Amino acid sequence: MRAPKAYRGNPPPNKRPLFYYITDRRRLSGASLIGCIRKALDWGVDFIQIREKDLTERELFELTCRIVQMARGAQCRILVNGRADIALAAGAHGVHLASTGLQIPELKIWLPSNFCVGVSVHSMQEIQRASAQNADYILLGHLFPTASKTGYGRPLGLRFLERACASTSTPILGLGGIKPEYVQSVLACGAAGVAGIGLFQDRTKFVRLRSIF
């Protein structure tokens, strides 16, 4: 799949896009995860999803507590991947769910009303289900080729993203292989923002992203 052309139309009508950082310390080359999170918070990311699947429950809880404390006073929601119980116990703002497994209504019956619940989707059917279940946001991917999704099928691409955004009022954030120079094209499709790991953890990409926005 070819990379998108540079977006040359008028700027999207929405305000500054939402920026969603997904952590993965295993992909850091000598850099500190806490240092990356601090830089992202200082810059003003809107969401940080703690996605450290190899940690024990205690380690994940302690890391979440530390990040929640770091984010105090910032306009950033801290989410935990797949663990609403740890998110609640640590004082985080929400949980992020996979497209399979526990469904949103099964969670919301015992969650606080202001607790954020987002979900990953990969098809129009999953988008419709997430919307019907009142997800607070949707992560749609993967949009572009990326090494982390090798073997997961072809990228969805911008045309699919445009159709997806037109099909629901639930905010959709594009995910997967997004480089700083792709962001405007993603927003032009109607996305509320972009999500990623390398976009925020790779120093070169992050510097470039900050220069654009």
Side-chain angles (χ1 to χ4, degrees), residues 16 19 38-45 200 206 209-210 213:
R16 170 190 171 283
F19 291 111
R38 184 172 289 111
K39 289 178 182 177
L41 286 169
D42 289 344
W43 182 56
V45 294
F200 301 97
F206 189 43
L209 184 66
R210 289 189 300 179
F213 294 94

Side-chain angles (χ1 to χ4, degrees), residues 3 12 24 42-43 85 87 96 102 125 135 157 162 181 194 197:
D24 187 349
D42 289 344
W43 182 56
D85 54 342
H96 183 79
L102 193 63
Q125 182 181 9
E162 190 169 18
E181 57 268 29
V194 293
I197 299 172

Side-chain angles (χ1 to χ4, degrees), residues 151-193:
Y152 285 82
R154 297 179 61 184
L156 296 173
L158 292 176
R159 288 185 180 179
F160 185 92
L161 173 63
E162 190 169 18
R163 288 195 296 116
C165 292
S167 73
T168 179
S169 60
T170 304
I172 291 180
L173 291 87
L175 171 69
I178 296 177
K179 299 178 181 179
E181 57 268 29
Y182 296 177
V183 174
Q184 292 288 17
S185 295
V186 172
L187 300 177
C189 292

